[in-house]
Amino acid sequence: MRRLAALTVCAGFGMLLAASARAGELAIDWLDRMSVAMNQMSYQGTFVYHQEDRMETMRITHVSDENGVRERLVSLSGGGGEMLRDANGVSWVLGDGSSVMTDGSFQRPLFPLMPSEQEGLAAHSYEVGFAGKSLVAGHLARKIKVEPRDHYRFGYALWLEAHSGLLLKWELLDPDRKPLARLMFTEIRLGSEVDPGELKPARELNRYQAVETGLPAGGSAISVEPRWAPVKIPPGFKLTAHRFQDGGEDDGGEYEHLVYSDGLAAVSVYIEDPAGDADRPERIERHGTTHAFTKSTGGRIVTVVGDVPAATVLMIGKSVEPATVQ
Amino acid sequence: MSKETREIISSLMDGEVSREASRFLVRRIGSDEELHATWARYHVVRDCLRNRGEVYARSDLSVRVRNAIADEERPRGRFRQARRWLKPVGGAGIAASVALLAVLAVNPGGAPPVNPTESLVDQNVSQPFSSPQGIPITPVISRTVSTNRMGPYLLRHYQVAGAGQGRAIVGFVPVMVSNQRLEAAEPEAVNPDENKPVDSQ
């Protein structure tokens, strides 16, 4: 009888462990589901964005069809900002109402350089779990908690539409799990209800003063060792993309763009030959929840940006050196 | 497009590809217009052959396929619920009202009174940085932000790092909002060791 009781207890524990394992696997699967839904589904809605004392109402139209992905994001709060994205690149209508920044020289690669094993990466750096269900914008949503294992990345709370995984609400959490920013849809239409007419910009883009980014496109170089690279990288981050342009009279100076990701957060490292004044003091800036670090070293300008804590861009940026010196 | 590629797409539709390979293929379809178009055409043909003309290939096909793949490994019925998200919702005019309500819900007591200058570090004072992993302490000068200067880097960053993971918009919203703030008011400086939280719910 004791043996039977012991077996029952063991079986119970086994089922419990199996259930929790399944729950963990499902939760992290939902991150992947979210990514696919955000990219592949057509949706259109209004959302509020809250950061510090700032509240913005914005509207997004995202259409994915036989013409590819087309996207328009526009501020409804009077700022006038607008962003358009399609196969030809990104155009950012700046809030001054008179200029548009484009990045026409860069075309996204047709295929991802690193076919996603993002889930595997994220599992090393975050604990992912379910945290109940609730209604967001009239839709049943599953809440997913994504808690960082250290202070080199932010955490997230995500409310995903219960069937498709589409993101309905998002919170960025600091290492102490306090919300740094919050985004929430108040109304959203999906699939055939989306009006593609809203993809049209408020004004014809050719009426704006064009501001090219000036960054070279660079070539994909994931198989080439970077010439410059950070010596110190926070745990969990891996090089996921590398674009390179050799210096030349016609192409301008040498340019490298390295992207490090932990599966969710990403950090870009730009190394440029300025072909001129390369003296830049070290500094950190914040753009919303994005941190940026710049410095000059060895005749190069180093710029690091990412949706990560300041400590992360600082660690990476300060350690960028010529790879041969390592 | 090669015959092999078409056969792979056909196999994916027929569920003859492993789950991991399916994930990879779905991503490739998402990033390749030609593959995407072929994928959509195949579904239209299949739907028509099955007399499901009203369910033509839609933009969320890959999601449906992924769900189907997931279903195969989970108890049936879990994801078989009706797609209630197709129900009609209010128009844009109503959305503005709802947005206002949401603002109140998100921030019921209003944002804590914040003096804009409180969040700013003295722009010319070096701030000691305490590293969580013992990086040498180095003074980092917080300076004014020029989004027009940083804009190209941010724009490129979110194209390369964000778009592929479906987070482009979420990633870009803070930058866009931040830029509007800069153009409307004071330039923003940064405390390199501090992240200012919003109110907790």
Side-chain angles (χ1 to χ4, degrees), chain B residues 45-74:
Chain B
V45 170
R46 189 183 69 177
D47 286 348
C48 287
L49 288 173
R50 293 180 182 177
N51 295 321
R52 293 173 60 207
E54 78 286 0
V55 211
Y56 270 15
R58 292 197 312 251
S59 52
D60 59 348
L61 275 174
S62 60
V63 176
R64 288 153 58 195
V65 170
R66 290 176 54 77
N67 288 349
I69 293 166
D71 270 350
E72 289 175 4
E73 301 186 9
R74 293 171 194 156

PDB file of all heavy atoms in Angstrom, chain B residues 45-74:
ATOM      1  N   VAL B  45      -5.781  28.463 -55.203  1.00  0.00           N
ATOM      2  CA  VAL B  45      -6.108  27.302 -56.045  1.00  0.00           C
ATOM      3  C   VAL B  45      -6.690  26.183 -55.184  1.00  0.00           C
ATOM      4  O   VAL B  45      -7.726  25.596 -55.507  1.00  0.00           O
ATOM      5  CB  VAL B  45      -4.838  26.812 -56.783  1.00  0.00           C
ATOM      6  CG1 VAL B  45      -5.101  25.488 -57.460  1.00  0.00           C
ATOM      7  CG2 VAL B  45      -4.405  27.857 -57.794  1.00  0.00           C
ATOM      8  N   ARG B  46      -6.032  25.916 -54.087  1.00  0.00           N
ATOM      9  CA  ARG B  46      -6.500  24.822 -53.238  1.00  0.00           C
ATOM     10  C   ARG B  46      -7.901  25.107 -52.689  1.00  0.00           C
ATOM     11  O   ARG B  46      -8.764  24.240 -52.694  1.00  0.00           O
ATOM     12  CB  ARG B  46      -5.532  24.596 -52.074  1.00  0.00           C
ATOM     13  CG  ARG B  46      -5.867  23.332 -51.285  1.00  0.00           C
ATOM     14  CD  ARG B  46      -4.952  23.171 -50.099  1.00  0.00           C
ATOM     15  NE  ARG B  46      -5.235  24.195 -49.092  1.00  0.00           N
ATOM     16  CZ  ARG B  46      -4.607  24.256 -47.916  1.00  0.00           C
ATOM     17  NH1 ARG B  46      -3.675  23.377 -47.621  1.00  0.00           N
ATOM     18  NH2 ARG B  46      -4.909  25.190 -47.049  1.00  0.00           N
ATOM     19  N   ASP B  47      -8.090  26.362 -52.239  1.00  0.00           N
ATOM     20  CA  ASP B  47      -9.401  26.717 -51.693  1.00  0.00           C
ATOM     21  C   ASP B  47     -10.497  26.580 -52.745  1.00  0.00           C
ATOM     22  O   ASP B  47     -11.610  26.128 -52.468  1.00  0.00           O
ATOM     23  CB  ASP B  47      -9.375  28.141 -51.138  1.00  0.00           C
ATOM     24  CG  ASP B  47      -8.609  28.221 -49.825  1.00  0.00           C
ATOM     25  OD1 ASP B  47      -8.313  27.157 -49.255  1.00  0.00           O
ATOM     26  OD2 ASP B  47      -8.300  29.333 -49.397  1.00  0.00           O
ATOM     27  N   CYS B  48     -10.156  26.995 -53.971  1.00  0.00           N
ATOM     28  CA  CYS B  48     -11.153  26.887 -55.035  1.00  0.00           C
ATOM     29  C   CYS B  48     -11.469  25.433 -55.345  1.00  0.00           C
ATOM     30  O   CYS B  48     -12.621  25.057 -55.547  1.00  0.00           O
ATOM     31  CB  CYS B  48     -10.650  27.584 -56.300  1.00  0.00           C
ATOM     32  SG  CYS B  48     -10.675  29.374 -56.152  1.00  0.00           S
ATOM     33  N   LEU B  49     -10.418  24.628 -55.381  1.00  0.00           N
ATOM     34  CA  LEU B  49     -10.634  23.207 -55.652  1.00  0.00           C
ATOM     35  C   LEU B  49     -11.506  22.567 -54.585  1.00  0.00           C
ATOM     36  O   LEU B  49     -12.234  21.620 -54.839  1.00  0.00           O
ATOM     37  CB  LEU B  49      -9.283  22.470 -55.735  1.00  0.00           C
ATOM     38  CG  LEU B  49      -8.462  22.777 -56.993  1.00  0.00           C
ATOM     39  CD1 LEU B  49      -7.082  22.142 -56.880  1.00  0.00           C
ATOM     40  CD2 LEU B  49      -9.181  22.250 -58.230  1.00  0.00           C
ATOM     41  N   ARG B  50     -11.387  23.109 -53.392  1.00  0.00           N
ATOM     42  CA  ARG B  50     -12.189  22.551 -52.296  1.00  0.00           C
ATOM     43  C   ARG B  50     -13.498  23.307 -52.114  1.00  0.00           C
ATOM     44  O   ARG B  50     -14.119  23.233 -51.067  1.00  0.00           O
ATOM     45  CB  ARG B  50     -11.384  22.614 -51.005  1.00  0.00           C
ATOM     46  CG  ARG B  50     -10.169  21.707 -51.022  1.00  0.00           C
ATOM     47  CD  ARG B  50      -9.410  21.823 -49.714  1.00  0.00           C
ATOM     48  NE  ARG B  50      -8.215  20.984 -49.725  1.00  0.00           N
ATOM     49  CZ  ARG B  50      -7.348  20.947 -48.740  1.00  0.00           C
ATOM     50  NH1 ARG B  50      -7.533  21.693 -47.670  1.00  0.00           N
ATOM     51  NH2 ARG B  50      -6.296  20.167 -48.805  1.00  0.00           N
ATOM     52  N   ASN B  51     -13.851  24.116 -53.093  1.00  0.00           N
ATOM     53  CA  ASN B  51     -15.093  24.889 -53.033  1.00  0.00           C
ATOM     54  C   ASN B  51     -15.153  25.801 -51.826  1.00  0.00           C
ATOM     55  O   ASN B  51     -16.164  25.914 -51.163  1.00  0.00           O
ATOM     56  CB  ASN B  51     -16.318  23.964 -53.026  1.00  0.00           C
ATOM     57  CG  ASN B  51     -16.422  23.214 -54.320  1.00  0.00           C
ATOM     58  OD1 ASN B  51     -16.154  23.753 -55.393  1.00  0.00           O
ATOM     59  ND2 ASN B  51     -16.788  21.940 -54.230  1.00  0.00           N
ATOM     60  N   ARG B  52     -14.029  26.399 -51.532  1.00  0.00           N
ATOM     61  CA  ARG B  52     -14.003  27.329 -50.406  1.00  0.00           C
ATOM     62  C   ARG B  52     -13.611  28.705 -50.917  1.00  0.00           C
ATOM     63  O   ARG B  52     -12.728  29.363 -50.406  1.00  0.00           O
ATOM     64  CB  ARG B  52     -13.004  26.859 -49.342  1.00  0.00           C
ATOM     65  CG  ARG B  52     -13.418  25.572 -48.670  1.00  0.00           C
ATOM     66  CD  ARG B  52     -12.311  25.090 -47.766  1.00  0.00           C
ATOM     67  NE  ARG B  52     -11.987  26.061 -46.735  1.00  0.00           N
ATOM     68  CZ  ARG B  52     -10.786  26.142 -46.175  1.00  0.00           C
ATOM     69  NH1 ARG B  52      -9.808  25.378 -46.557  1.00  0.00           N
ATOM     70  NH2 ARG B  52     -10.573  27.024 -45.230  1.00  0.00           N
ATOM     71  N   GLY B  53     -14.297  29.114 -51.987  1.00  0.00           N
ATOM     72  CA  GLY B  53     -13.940  30.370 -52.621  1.00  0.00           C
ATOM     73  C   GLY B  53     -13.991  31.559 -51.690  1.00  0.00           C
ATOM     74  O   GLY B  53     -13.270  32.529 -51.859  1.00  0.00           O
ATOM     75  N   GLU B  54     -14.865  31.475 -50.698  1.00  0.00           N
ATOM     76  CA  GLU B  54     -15.000  32.631 -49.810  1.00  0.00           C
ATOM     77  C   GLU B  54     -13.841  32.731 -48.831  1.00  0.00           C
ATOM     78  O   GLU B  54     -13.685  33.732 -48.151  1.00  0.00           O
ATOM     79  CB  GLU B  54     -16.335  32.568 -49.053  1.00  0.00           C
ATOM     80  CG  GLU B  54     -16.388  31.601 -47.877  1.00  0.00           C
ATOM     81  CD  GLU B  54     -16.467  30.139 -48.276  1.00  0.00           C
ATOM     82  OE1 GLU B  54     -16.482  29.844 -49.479  1.00  0.00           O
ATOM     83  OE2 GLU B  54     -16.512  29.287 -47.366  1.00  0.00           O
ATOM     84  N   VAL B  55     -13.052  31.679 -48.742  1.00  0.00           N
ATOM     85  CA  VAL B  55     -11.935  31.701 -47.795  1.00  0.00           C
ATOM     86  C   VAL B  55     -10.632  31.812 -48.563  1.00  0.00           C
ATOM     87  O   VAL B  55      -9.693  31.099 -48.305  1.00  0.00           O
ATOM     88  CB  VAL B  55     -11.916  30.417 -46.938  1.00  0.00           C
ATOM     89  CG1 VAL B  55     -11.349  30.737 -45.569  1.00  0.00           C
ATOM     90  CG2 VAL B  55     -13.268  29.786 -46.810  1.00  0.00           C
ATOM     91  N   TYR B  56     -10.611  32.696 -49.509  1.00  0.00           N
ATOM     92  CA  TYR B  56      -9.411  32.872 -50.333  1.00  0.00           C
ATOM     93  C   TYR B  56      -8.194  33.107 -49.454  1.00  0.00           C
ATOM     94  O   TYR B  56      -8.304  33.528 -48.318  1.00  0.00           O
ATOM     95  CB  TYR B  56      -9.603  34.072 -51.239  1.00  0.00           C
ATOM     96  CG  TYR B  56     -10.217  33.735 -52.562  1.00  0.00           C
ATOM     97  CD1 TYR B  56     -10.823  32.517 -52.767  1.00  0.00           C
ATOM     98  CD2 TYR B  56     -10.193  34.640 -53.594  1.00  0.00           C
ATOM     99  CE1 TYR B  56     -11.396  32.211 -53.975  1.00  0.00           C
ATOM    100  CE2 TYR B  56     -10.765  34.353 -54.808  1.00  0.00           C
ATOM    101  CZ  TYR B  56     -11.370  33.131 -55.001  1.00  0.00           C
ATOM    102  OH  TYR B  56     -11.927  32.838 -56.183  1.00  0.00           O
ATOM    103  N   ALA B  57      -7.096  32.820 -50.053  1.00  0.00           N
ATOM    104  CA  ALA B  57      -5.836  33.018 -49.339  1.00  0.00           C
ATOM    105  C   ALA B  57      -5.767  34.430 -48.813  1.00  0.00           C
ATOM    106  O   ALA B  57      -5.876  35.380 -49.564  1.00  0.00           O
ATOM    107  CB  ALA B  57      -4.681  32.776 -50.286  1.00  0.00           C
ATOM    108  N   ARG B  58      -5.613  34.528 -47.540  1.00  0.00           N
ATOM    109  CA  ARG B  58      -5.522  35.850 -46.931  1.00  0.00           C
ATOM    110  C   ARG B  58      -4.126  36.056 -46.398  1.00  0.00           C
ATOM    111  O   ARG B  58      -3.281  35.184 -46.429  1.00  0.00           O
ATOM    112  CB  ARG B  58      -6.551  35.961 -45.794  1.00  0.00           C
ATOM    113  CG  ARG B  58      -7.973  35.973 -46.273  1.00  0.00           C
ATOM    114  CD  ARG B  58      -8.859  36.494 -45.149  1.00  0.00           C
ATOM    115  NE  ARG B  58      -8.576  35.841 -43.894  1.00  0.00           N
ATOM    116  CZ  ARG B  58      -9.397  34.973 -43.323  1.00  0.00           C
ATOM    117  NH1 ARG B  58     -10.527  34.667 -43.884  1.00  0.00           N
ATOM    118  NH2 ARG B  58      -9.083  34.420 -42.176  1.00  0.00           N
ATOM    119  N   SER B  59      -3.930  37.247 -45.876  1.00  0.00           N
ATOM    120  CA  SER B  59      -2.595  37.606 -45.444  1.00  0.00           C
ATOM    121  C   SER B  59      -2.135  36.828 -44.222  1.00  0.00           C
ATOM    122  O   SER B  59      -0.962  36.773 -43.930  1.00  0.00           O
ATOM    123  CB  SER B  59      -2.565  39.093 -45.114  1.00  0.00           C
ATOM    124  OG  SER B  59      -3.609  39.375 -44.232  1.00  0.00           O
ATOM    125  N   ASP B  60      -3.043  36.238 -43.496  1.00  0.00           N
ATOM    126  CA  ASP B  60      -2.647  35.532 -42.283  1.00  0.00           C
ATOM    127  C   ASP B  60      -2.509  34.044 -42.536  1.00  0.00           C
ATOM    128  O   ASP B  60      -2.584  33.242 -41.617  1.00  0.00           O
ATOM    129  CB  ASP B  60      -3.668  35.788 -41.166  1.00  0.00           C
ATOM    130  CG  ASP B  60      -5.060  35.336 -41.545  1.00  0.00           C
ATOM    131  OD1 ASP B  60      -5.289  35.043 -42.726  1.00  0.00           O
ATOM    132  OD2 ASP B  60      -5.900  35.264 -40.662  1.00  0.00           O
ATOM    133  N   LEU B  61      -2.265  33.698 -43.783  1.00  0.00           N
ATOM    134  CA  LEU B  61      -2.169  32.277 -44.109  1.00  0.00           C
ATOM    135  C   LEU B  61      -1.078  31.579 -43.311  1.00  0.00           C
ATOM    136  O   LEU B  61      -1.276  30.487 -42.792  1.00  0.00           O
ATOM    137  CB  LEU B  61      -1.866  32.122 -45.598  1.00  0.00           C
ATOM    138  CG  LEU B  61      -3.096  32.158 -46.501  1.00  0.00           C
ATOM    139  CD1 LEU B  61      -2.652  32.151 -47.952  1.00  0.00           C
ATOM    140  CD2 LEU B  61      -3.972  30.953 -46.210  1.00  0.00           C
ATOM    141  N   SER B  62       0.053  32.233 -43.249  1.00  0.00           N
ATOM    142  CA  SER B  62       1.163  31.561 -42.567  1.00  0.00           C
ATOM    143  C   SER B  62       0.837  31.334 -41.105  1.00  0.00           C
ATOM    144  O   SER B  62       1.242  30.339 -40.514  1.00  0.00           O
ATOM    145  CB  SER B  62       2.442  32.383 -42.694  1.00  0.00           C
ATOM    146  OG  SER B  62       2.251  33.642 -42.126  1.00  0.00           O
ATOM    147  N   VAL B  63       0.075  32.269 -40.518  1.00  0.00           N
ATOM    148  CA  VAL B  63      -0.320  32.091 -39.124  1.00  0.00           C
ATOM    149  C   VAL B  63      -1.230  30.880 -39.008  1.00  0.00           C
ATOM    150  O   VAL B  63      -1.088  30.062 -38.090  1.00  0.00           O
ATOM    151  CB  VAL B  63      -1.051  33.347 -38.607  1.00  0.00           C
ATOM    152  CG1 VAL B  63      -1.541  33.136 -37.190  1.00  0.00           C
ATOM    153  CG2 VAL B  63      -0.133  34.546 -38.674  1.00  0.00           C
ATOM    154  N   ARG B  64      -2.127  30.775 -39.976  1.00  0.00           N
ATOM    155  CA  ARG B  64      -3.037  29.628 -39.923  1.00  0.00           C
ATOM    156  C   ARG B  64      -2.274  28.321 -40.085  1.00  0.00           C
ATOM    157  O   ARG B  64      -2.537  27.330 -39.421  1.00  0.00           O
ATOM    158  CB  ARG B  64      -4.088  29.777 -41.019  1.00  0.00           C
ATOM    159  CG  ARG B  64      -5.101  30.879 -40.701  1.00  0.00           C
ATOM    160  CD  ARG B  64      -5.693  31.481 -41.939  1.00  0.00           C
ATOM    161  NE  ARG B  64      -6.345  30.500 -42.786  1.00  0.00           N
ATOM    162  CZ  ARG B  64      -6.683  30.735 -44.055  1.00  0.00           C
ATOM    163  NH1 ARG B  64      -6.410  31.902 -44.581  1.00  0.00           N
ATOM    164  NH2 ARG B  64      -7.273  29.815 -44.759  1.00  0.00           N
ATOM    165  N   VAL B  65      -1.289  28.360 -40.994  1.00  0.00           N
ATOM    166  CA  VAL B  65      -0.499  27.142 -41.183  1.00  0.00           C
ATOM    167  C   VAL B  65       0.288  26.822 -39.920  1.00  0.00           C
ATOM    168  O   VAL B  65       0.362  25.681 -39.473  1.00  0.00           O
ATOM    169  CB  VAL B  65       0.454  27.309 -42.385  1.00  0.00           C
ATOM    170  CG1 VAL B  65       1.433  26.156 -42.445  1.00  0.00           C
ATOM    171  CG2 VAL B  65      -0.356  27.368 -43.664  1.00  0.00           C
ATOM    172  N   ARG B  66       0.866  27.850 -39.340  1.00  0.00           N
ATOM    173  CA  ARG B  66       1.631  27.625 -38.111  1.00  0.00           C
ATOM    174  C   ARG B  66       0.732  27.074 -37.028  1.00  0.00           C
ATOM    175  O   ARG B  66       1.114  26.187 -36.271  1.00  0.00           O
ATOM    176  CB  ARG B  66       2.271  28.937 -37.650  1.00  0.00           C
ATOM    177  CG  ARG B  66       3.382  29.398 -38.554  1.00  0.00           C
ATOM    178  CD  ARG B  66       3.898  30.742 -38.084  1.00  0.00           C
ATOM    179  NE  ARG B  66       4.275  30.663 -36.680  1.00  0.00           N
ATOM    180  CZ  ARG B  66       5.388  30.100 -36.263  1.00  0.00           C
ATOM    181  NH1 ARG B  66       6.217  29.577 -37.117  1.00  0.00           N
ATOM    182  NH2 ARG B  66       5.662  30.068 -34.977  1.00  0.00           N
ATOM    183  N   ASN B  67      -0.471  27.619 -36.938  1.00  0.00           N
ATOM    184  CA  ASN B  67      -1.411  27.109 -35.944  1.00  0.00           C
ATOM    185  C   ASN B  67      -1.723  25.640 -36.215  1.00  0.00           C
ATOM    186  O   ASN B  67      -1.812  24.832 -35.295  1.00  0.00           O
ATOM    187  CB  ASN B  67      -2.702  27.927 -35.964  1.00  0.00           C
ATOM    188  CG  ASN B  67      -2.502  29.306 -35.376  1.00  0.00           C
ATOM    189  OD1 ASN B  67      -1.468  29.576 -34.778  1.00  0.00           O
ATOM    190  ND2 ASN B  67      -3.465  30.175 -35.545  1.00  0.00           N
ATOM    191  N   ALA B  68      -1.863  25.345 -37.516  1.00  0.00           N
ATOM    192  CA  ALA B  68      -2.176  23.962 -37.855  1.00  0.00           C
ATOM    193  C   ALA B  68      -1.025  23.048 -37.469  1.00  0.00           C
ATOM    194  O   ALA B  68      -1.222  21.946 -36.956  1.00  0.00           O
ATOM    195  CB  ALA B  68      -2.457  23.855 -39.348  1.00  0.00           C
ATOM    196  N   ILE B  69       0.186  23.546 -37.712  1.00  0.00           N
ATOM    197  CA  ILE B  69       1.360  22.755 -37.333  1.00  0.00           C
ATOM    198  C   ILE B  69       1.377  22.550 -35.821  1.00  0.00           C
ATOM    199  O   ILE B  69       1.621  21.460 -35.319  1.00  0.00           O
ATOM    200  CB  ILE B  69       2.652  23.465 -37.781  1.00  0.00           C
ATOM    201  CG1 ILE B  69       2.710  23.484 -39.310  1.00  0.00           C
ATOM    202  CG2 ILE B  69       3.876  22.782 -37.199  1.00  0.00           C
ATOM    203  CD1 ILE B  69       3.751  24.442 -39.865  1.00  0.00           C
ATOM    204  N   ALA B  70       1.080  23.649 -35.112  1.00  0.00           N
ATOM    205  CA  ALA B  70       1.073  23.549 -33.650  1.00  0.00           C
ATOM    206  C   ALA B  70      -0.022  22.597 -33.187  1.00  0.00           C
ATOM    207  O   ALA B  70       0.160  21.824 -32.247  1.00  0.00           O
ATOM    208  CB  ALA B  70       0.863  24.929 -33.044  1.00  0.00           C
ATOM    209  N   ASP B  71      -1.131  22.629 -33.886  1.00  0.00           N
ATOM    210  CA  ASP B  71      -2.259  21.771 -33.504  1.00  0.00           C
ATOM    211  C   ASP B  71      -1.891  20.303 -33.544  1.00  0.00           C
ATOM    212  O   ASP B  71      -2.365  19.492 -32.761  1.00  0.00           O
ATOM    213  CB  ASP B  71      -3.436  22.007 -34.458  1.00  0.00           C
ATOM    214  CG  ASP B  71      -4.326  23.123 -33.933  1.00  0.00           C
ATOM    215  OD1 ASP B  71      -4.104  23.531 -32.781  1.00  0.00           O
ATOM    216  OD2 ASP B  71      -5.206  23.569 -34.674  1.00  0.00           O
ATOM    217  N   GLU B  72      -1.042  19.979 -34.502  1.00  0.00           N
ATOM    218  CA  GLU B  72      -0.700  18.573 -34.654  1.00  0.00           C
ATOM    219  C   GLU B  72      -0.002  18.023 -33.428  1.00  0.00           C
ATOM    220  O   GLU B  72      -0.017  16.843 -33.164  1.00  0.00           O
ATOM    221  CB  GLU B  72       0.201  18.398 -35.878  1.00  0.00           C
ATOM    222  CG  GLU B  72      -0.556  18.599 -37.181  1.00  0.00           C
ATOM    223  CD  GLU B  72       0.381  18.543 -38.363  1.00  0.00           C
ATOM    224  OE1 GLU B  72       1.576  18.280 -38.140  1.00  0.00           O
ATOM    225  OE2 GLU B  72      -0.094  18.754 -39.479  1.00  0.00           O
ATOM    226  N   GLU B  73       0.632  18.925 -32.680  1.00  0.00           N
ATOM    227  CA  GLU B  73       1.376  18.469 -31.514  1.00  0.00           C
ATOM    228  C   GLU B  73       0.650  18.771 -30.218  1.00  0.00           C
ATOM    229  O   GLU B  73       1.180  18.588 -29.148  1.00  0.00           O
ATOM    230  CB  GLU B  73       2.748  19.135 -31.502  1.00  0.00           C
ATOM    231  CG  GLU B  73       3.515  18.803 -32.766  1.00  0.00           C
ATOM    232  CD  GLU B  73       4.925  19.333 -32.709  1.00  0.00           C
ATOM    233  OE1 GLU B  73       5.327  19.785 -31.633  1.00  0.00           O
ATOM    234  OE2 GLU B  73       5.605  19.260 -33.733  1.00  0.00           O
ATOM    235  N   ARG B  74      -0.551  19.275 -30.324  1.00  0.00           N
ATOM    236  CA  ARG B  74      -1.314  19.609 -29.129  1.00  0.00           C
ATOM    237  C   ARG B  74      -2.683  18.980 -29.231  1.00  0.00           C
ATOM    238  O   ARG B  74      -3.127  18.598 -30.306  1.00  0.00           O
ATOM    239  CB  ARG B  74      -1.457  21.130 -29.015  1.00  0.00           C
ATOM    240  CG  ARG B  74      -0.128  21.786 -28.746  1.00  0.00           C
ATOM    241  CD  ARG B  74      -0.252  23.274 -28.850  1.00  0.00           C
ATOM    242  NE  ARG B  74       1.069  23.858 -28.912  1.00  0.00           N
ATOM    243  CZ  ARG B  74       1.344  25.026 -29.439  1.00  0.00           C
ATOM    244  NH1 ARG B  74       0.390  25.766 -29.940  1.00  0.00           N
ATOM    245  NH2 ARG B  74       2.566  25.478 -29.466  1.00  0.00           N
TER     246      ARG B  74
END
